[in-house]
Amino acid sequence: MDELWGDAKVSSESTHPGLQWFTEDKYAMFIHWGLYSEMAGVWKGKTYYGIGEWLMHMAEIPVEEYKAYARNFNPDQFDATQLVRLAKAAGMKTIVVTSKHHDGFAMFDSKASEFTVTKATPYQGDLMRELADACQEEGLRFGFYYSQNKDWTEPYATSYKGERPVGYTPADFERYFNQKVVPQVTELLTNYGPIAMIWFDTPGGMDKAYSAKLVELVQSYQPNCLVNSRIGGGYGHYVSLGDMHIPPVRPDYEVWETVDTTNDSWSYAWYDQNWKSPKTICEHLVRVLARGGSYMLNVGPKGDGSLPAKVVETLTVSGDWVRSHSEAIYGTEASPFDQGFSWGDITQKGNHLYLHIFDWPESGLLRLADLGTQVTAASLLHDSSTVVFSQEGSILEVMLGEVSGRDLPIVPVVKLQLKAPAKVENHATQVDGFSTVKLLAEMADVEACEITERRWMEKFGEWKHDYFVDQWNSLESLASWDLNVLEAGDYSISLEYSCEPEAANSEWVLSLGDNSLTFITYESGFDSNNSFHRGPPRQRNHSMSLGVLTIPESGLQTLKLIPRNLLGAGIGVKAITLTPFH
Ligand code: FHN
């Protein structure tokens, strides 16, 4: 069990009726909105940097003071229809909103609690009803986020400090669960029309039986309603990956999603201006779809219900792109390749491939191997203009230079018409002879070493992660990357790695066939920690140029990294980069 997000296994059969729309629609809006949005990251004049909805925890606000703050929550600028229309304009098909986050405050009318928007605030209206009605009206699906395990204002759930009251027994949690969670989830399932999904979160160590009970509850009232894997206990109809995790290699899960946010915090925080650009939003959406997932992008309205201007702007611009490229988004399947490319990524539908170009190749040429079928036409999706291409043997070349002068969308998409659906037999990383190729730890095959995830927070709760090949435990340890080399030649190689003091001066060999580069590493140091960092200090990464490696012939080959001597647990390899040496 992942202590934060629950088991990423789903036991329910994948024939749940909701999975059809889920896998077809691809793109949803997530909304984090509550009492904390009015606080905006500030308590008693002090700003707490981190995810805004955790302010109660960060500022250690006493329960009674937090509850009393509800008197300040009056979202009189909230316009549910406007918000739903923005989601629609952004190309999103579903809205999932925080009905109750970890602070326990219900954004709906609930008989099971006094701490609700209807009873504890001057606003008194049921915000969830307004949104549910607007979604119904505008033809969007509607779902609820519900924090089932954490409830910081209830004495018998876990407190925000992670503590239990003196004399606490498991029966106390059961009381909280039966007196608040069950009735509230029932209210959500019975008072707001058809519910597309209930998005549960942070099951932590919650007993599996509670997760099972919630699944049953949802099933009994709304059999079409989906439940995500963060319900815990291995339940759920599909897998929610860790926050903001966009996997570079296709994951093993059949149905999964990535949740991401428009800036850094989930809920509104006054200082957080780290907005994703419209192009980044489109890129994240495509990268997720290309690996076979669905994408849910969060917005954080302010306490008065209005949205930060940048959210409206970025969603409107990215939405124009999504809607004008809808053919390459909705109802598509994952790329036939397990991983993306340095120039962009691919979605497919039937006999069509859609090449989404994030970084225009300097060569003006895009090379792709092993589609396993013939390409019969190529055009730009937004204006149907023809794109010149050639296909010889297994290699397709698309002449982008021809179209580069034209007025192009933020992410140009080349539509390929194929004779039959693409059939890719080989998923090795393609080295096309033009582009810089980054081989990540997640893409490696390993023997006698491990691929480990390192997670950290820069501001509180804003999880970041990287993968490393580490724990080299013998001189037989090996990390390797399969390459499909389309052009033989010289490549400059660089290495991004971390190195603890014990592994300093360790020697390594990177080889491909008979050619190799031998190098020595040095200590990369540690990043300074912030006050909330738990666990061992975070190692810093270092980038080092290893030299020029000759790849004498094209075709399938394997790049191998082995230790020459073993010091400590060896280095942590984050990435190896190959750049054509011209
Ligand atoms: O603790 C929450 C956090 O506040 C936020 O709701 C995210 C969204 O995925 N989920 C939890 C952390 O993963």
Side-chain angles (χ1 to χ4, degrees):
M1 145 93 65
D2 181 304
E3 57 175 27
L4 195 61
W5 294 310
D7 232 336
K9 269 190 243 112
V10 283
S11 59
S12 315
E13 76 288 4
S14 57
T15 52
H16 188 283
L19 291 178
Q20 201 176 339
W21 68 258
F22 185 81
T23 49
E24 164 83 25
D25 287 1
K26 308 285 185 196
Y27 192 23
M29 178 184 269
F30 208 8
I31 304 176
H32 274 65
W33 191 34
L35 214 48
Y36 40 76
S37 312
E38 179 61 32
M39 299 168 177
V42 181
W43 182 246
K44 297 200 169 157
K46 180 176 170 190
T47 296
Y48 291 81
Y49 296 87
I51 46 178
E53 68 281 6
W54 276 67
L55 185 67
M56 186 180 178
H57 171 102
M58 289 189 281
E60 302 197 1
I61 305 173
V63 171
E64 289 316 315
E65 282 186 52
Y66 190 88
K67 281 183 157 179
Y69 192 88
R71 278 189 237 113
N72 301 300
F73 188 64
N74 190 16
D76 53 7
Q77 298 302 303
F78 181 58
D79 182 336
T81 305
Q82 210 175 33
L83 181 55
V84 173
R85 287 192 180 151
L86 176 69
K88 241 172 127 172
M92 295 152 163
K93 302 282 190 181
T94 305
I95 287 185
V96 177
V97 59
T98 46
S99 62
K100 183 197 90 161
H101 204 270
H102 307 334
D103 65 351
F105 177 70
M107 294 284 278
F108 57 102
D109 189 25
S110 172
K111 293 194 172 60
S113 169
E114 294 302 302
F115 193 38
T116 71
V117 64
T118 47
K119 297 182 202 167
T121 76
Y123 186 74
Q124 296 185 347
D126 183 334
L127 293 163
M128 298 298 97
R129 175 159 322 285
E130 291 177 37
L131 262 175
D133 291 350
C135 281
Q136 187 95 35
E137 190 81 7
E138 296 291 325
L140 253 63
R141 296 179 207 284
F142 183 59
F144 291 116
Y145 172 110
Y146 189 88
S147 172
Q148 74 276 32
N149 179 38
K150 285 186 173 42
D151 192 318
W152 300 330
T153 42
E154 288 297 332
Y156 296 118
T158 334
S159 79
Y160 61 73
K161 291 181 183 165
E163 291 159 0
R164 304 287 198 183
V166 180
Y168 168 90
T169 67
D172 292 324
F173 183 82
E174 180 144 6
R175 196 167 328 124
Y176 150 72
F177 190 84
N178 288 333
Q179 291 179 3
K180 187 161 182 183
V181 179
V182 172
Q184 286 200 332
V185 173
T186 306
E187 287 169 339
L188 295 174
L189 288 164
T190 51
N191 292 341
Y192 299 91
I195 302 303
M197 69 163 75
I198 301 203
W199 207 93
F200 292 101
D201 202 7
T202 59
M206 192 179 79
D207 199 291
K208 195 178 163 153
Y210 294 113
S211 311
K213 190 160 180 183
L214 285 175
V215 175
E216 244 178 69
L217 196 67
V218 173
Q219 172 69 23
S220 66
Y221 286 109
Q222 297 226 21
N224 291 335
C225 177
L226 288 171
V227 161
N228 66 330
S229 58
R230 293 199 195 176
I231 193 168
Y235 292 97
H237 304 117
Y238 71 91
V239 173
S240 297
L241 301 187
D243 291 349
M244 298 164 208
H245 185 187
I246 299 180
V249 182
R250 192 168 179 174
D252 284 338
Y253 312 121
E254 205 181 318
V255 188
W256 58 273
E257 79 182 345
T258 290
V259 289
D260 200 0
T261 185
T262 32
N263 46 348
D264 284 334
S265 176
W266 297 96
S267 74
Y268 176 70
W270 73 269
Y271 61 84
D272 185 356
Q273 305 296 328
N274 196 16
W275 305 107
K276 293 183 179 65
S277 70
K279 186 175 176 218
T280 301
I281 292 173
C282 297
E283 181 169 340
H284 285 195
L285 169 68
V286 170
R287 291 268 188 216
V288 171
L289 268 47
R291 303 281 79 71
S294 294
Y295 186 61
M296 183 150 78
L297 180 64
N298 178 74
V299 303
K302 297 181 185 174
D304 67 4
S306 65
L307 276 177
K310 266 284 179 259
V311 170
V312 179
E313 186 188 317
T314 55
L315 288 193
T316 306
V317 177
S318 56
D320 284 346
W321 180 86
V322 174
R323 285 178 297 108
S324 58
H325 292 80
S326 57
E327 180 184 329
I329 302 291
Y330 309 115
T332 54
E333 285 174 38
S335 164
F337 299 94
D338 281 353
Q339 46 184 265
F341 298 85
S342 49
W343 49 261
D345 225 321
I346 302 177
T347 53
Q348 68 173 325
K349 201 184 269 174
N351 285 9
H352 293 111
L353 286 187
Y354 303 94
L355 315 184
H356 301 252
I357 301 169
F358 308 140
D359 292 306
W360 204 256
E362 264 176 45
S363 57
L365 200 67
L366 194 150
R367 241 183 214 162
L368 203 56
D370 291 339
L371 287 177
T373 184
Q374 204 186 323
V375 176
T376 54
S379 57
L380 280 173
L381 184 59
H382 70 285
D383 64 3
S384 304
S385 58
T386 303
V387 175
V388 180
F389 70 95
S390 70
Q391 197 176 20
E392 271 176 42
S394 68
I395 297 187
L396 171 78
E397 289 193 343
V398 182
M399 320 304 175
L400 293 177
E402 295 284 313
V403 285
S404 60
R406 299 188 208 162
D407 190 15
L408 293 171
I410 45 176
V411 177
V413 176
V414 175
K415 175 178 176 180
L416 299 181
Q417 162 93 43
L418 313 175
K419 220 168 179 182
K423 199 159 178 258
V424 174
E425 304 284 355
N426 196 293
H427 294 274
T429 306
Q430 298 197 358
V431 180
D432 64 11
F434 300 119
S435 323
T436 292
V437 172
K438 199 166 185 178
L439 305 170
L440 298 170
E442 298 101 298
M443 301 170 176
D445 289 317
V446 291
E447 286 169 37
C449 50
E450 288 171 21
I451 300 173
T452 53
E453 186 191 24
R454 297 183 197 165
R455 274 187 207 155
W456 73 98
M457 309 185 224
E458 274 166 19
K459 285 173 271 158
F460 179 87
E462 290 165 11
W463 288 101
K464 313 265 183 243
H465 67 269
D466 267 335
Y467 286 86
F468 293 82
V469 179
D470 55 17
Q471 306 305 318
W472 304 76
N473 54 38
S474 89
L475 285 174
E476 310 301 313
S477 298
L478 165 73
S480 61
W481 289 263
D482 289 333
L483 306 181
N484 188 357
V485 179
L486 310 191
E487 192 159 303
D490 290 342
Y491 288 84
S492 295
I493 311 290
S494 66
L495 172 74
E496 201 176 336
Y497 71 101
S498 65
C499 179
E500 291 195 353
E502 307 81 65
N505 299 321
S506 54
E507 295 172 54
W508 300 79
V509 181
L510 184 76
S511 65
L512 192 143
D514 293 336
N515 294 339
S516 63
L517 296 171
T518 302
F519 59 94
I520 188 165
T521 58
Y522 62 86
E523 190 184 335
S524 61
F526 294 90
D527 267 336
S528 53
N529 282 333
N530 38 32
S531 56
F532 45 78
H533 180 86
R534 293 179 214 108
R538 197 164 79 82
Q539 291 174 53
R540 192 175 293 150
N541 299 328
H542 177 67
S543 271
M544 182 165 83
S545 179
L546 301 187
V548 179
L549 187 72
T550 301
I551 305 184
E553 55 190 8
S554 57
L556 293 177
Q557 354 214 341
T558 303
L559 187 73
K560 295 180 179 168
L561 179 65
I562 54 167
R564 203 161 177 241
N565 60 4
L566 201 64
L567 300 178
I571 55 174
V573 176
K574 187 178 166 204
I576 295 176
T577 305
L578 282 69
T579 307
F581 182 69
H582 294 138

